[in-house]
Amino acid sequence: MKKRYIMSPGPVEVPPSVLSVGGLPMIHHRTPEYRKALSEVTEGLKYVFQTKNDILIFPSAGTGGMESAVINMCSPGDKVLVAACGQFGERWAKIAEAFDIIPVKVFAEWGNEVDYTKVEAELKANPDIKAVFTTLSETSTGIENDIKKLGGIVKGTKAVFVVDAVSGMGAVEFKTDEWSVDVVVVGAQKGMMIPPGVAMVSLSEKAKAALALSKTPKYYFSYVEALKALKKDKLPDTPYTSSVSLILQLRESIRLIKEEGLENVWARHSKIATAVRAGVSALGLKPFAKGKPSNSVTSIWAPEGIDGDAVNKKIRDEYGITMAGGQGKMKGKMFRIGHLGYVDRFDAVIGISAVEMALTEMGVKIELGKGVKAVEEELLRK
Ligand SMILES: *Cc1c(COP(=O)(O)O)cnc(C)c1O
């Protein structure tokens, strides 16, 4: 028998109380009972997002939420700015191009944070930029961008500020309204701790004004229709069938976040991430992040002569722990340990222990227990 763990940066483990809600009998999505649940979810999400803005929910992967933001905020031929520092940030530009929207690509070298100075300069040089797209926690490289700083830069311009917080929300500090973020996109299977399948999007007044001008063809992802359904009665509704079970699960995971307190959720992620990073450096492994490391995921260079995917595969297939390899151009060169959502201190111990054991088996000279010791010391630090 093998006990299985998911330590990937999404999907993450689902807390038992959230799992059990998934097994409840089906209810119809047009009933008062369901719409009351949906109302609790849309209100509860405002606390998690730290916003007063309306939040729309679509049955979709996180990327669907990203696409919805592009097609509702822009029109073909519009110029937008994409501030990226990895695979997910660069995805914004690919989506824009798919709809004939023209991205000004401010792409930082992977491992760094977004280039804030260049973003500011490009916005000055291109006052016709309609939207700025970026990423809170860049999952492919394990970097956290300074969204507060970017919000301050974009605020004074005509552009709407759109943030992919898919792997950051519910894990790292994020304040939608205080940081002037107009559109926030979040997925289900990361910090929100539910199975994959819904995308959540918040919209500021500035975003709603941009929405009125958008001419990109759309049907399913129309924010106009979704807002109409949200507002048509006292209780929210959705234009098409809602993800009933996932929404009920989301209600439970929001309850868990509220019970713990958002600041405590952030502090927990910070503690565990700091411990994992301590373990990595004690083992003499090289962290990939040169900018601020994300508290959601730690990216690690594979040791000299070792295939990062092989490390990941060994830990998954032989130890039963699913971590992640490198993405895109970093495939085979790194591996990543996810520590977001339903995680506690001992996940850091297990994760670093697995890395120590796997690398030892693969012939890397590592002192067994050295990483785990550093993790434990960090966890015990007050
Ligand atoms: C996981 C992730 C996505 C994509 O989510 P999907 O549900 O796979 O579409 C987008 N952005 C970031 C930062 C992510 O971590």
Side-chain angles (χ1 to χ4, degrees), residues 9 60-64 66 88 91 135 137-139 164-167 187 189-190:
S60 153
T63 305
M66 293 172 73
F88 289 106
R91 185 170 291 175
T135 320
S137 165
E138 176 49 75
T139 318
D164 164 0
V166 175
S167 75
Q189 72 275 22
K190 310 213 177 171

Side-chain angles (χ1 to χ4, degrees), residues 116-295:
Y116 310 107
T117 318
K118 200 151 178 231
V119 169
E120 193 164 16
E122 288 290 357
L123 275 171
K124 280 218 176 83
N126 300 280
D128 53 341
I129 284 174
K130 296 280 168 53
V132 173
F133 296 92
T134 195
T135 320
L136 167 60
S137 165
E138 176 49 75
T139 318
S140 65
T141 60
I143 284 289
E144 183 183 331
N145 288 309
D146 189 342
I147 300 301
K148 186 180 181 182
K149 185 177 206 160
L150 283 169
I153 294 169
V154 183
K155 195 179 165 182
T157 72
K158 288 205 179 91
V160 285
F161 185 33
V162 185
V163 175
D164 164 0
V166 175
S167 75
M169 190 64 80
V172 308
E173 185 183 8
F174 189 78
K175 297 186 171 171
T176 303
D177 292 355
E178 212 180 298
W179 297 353
S180 311
V181 188
D182 298 304
V183 182
V184 181
V185 178
V186 173
Q189 72 275 22
K190 310 213 177 171
M192 300 312 295
M193 305 182 290
I194 63 170
V198 291
M200 297 147 249
V201 186
S202 75
L203 295 179
S204 72
E205 289 309 312
K206 194 176 178 185
K208 285 181 183 170
L211 173 59
L213 303 174
S214 163
K215 292 193 178 66
T216 310
K218 53 192 145 313
Y219 185 84
Y220 178 73
F221 279 126
S222 164
Y223 288 177
V224 170
E225 294 304 319
L227 279 169
K228 249 190 237 163
L230 187 76
K231 302 281 186 186
K232 75 174 181 199
D233 286 319
K234 273 212 188 82
L235 288 173
D237 203 352
T238 52
Y240 319 109
T241 307
S242 186
S243 314
V244 174
S245 303
L246 289 172
I247 295 297
L248 299 179
Q249 289 181 293
L250 190 53
R251 177 169 67 174
E252 173 59 14
S253 71
I254 292 168
R255 192 191 67 73
L256 293 175
I257 292 171
K258 277 190 177 158
E259 188 177 75
E260 184 175 0
L262 198 51
E263 312 242 312
N264 295 327
V265 169
W266 296 336
R268 173 168 50 86
H269 282 82
S270 167
K271 185 81 184 162
I272 295 164
T274 307
V276 167
R277 295 195 284 262
V280 167
S281 55
L283 289 173
L285 299 172
K286 195 172 157 210
F288 184 72
K290 287 182 269 185
K292 184 182 179 190
S294 170
N295 287 338

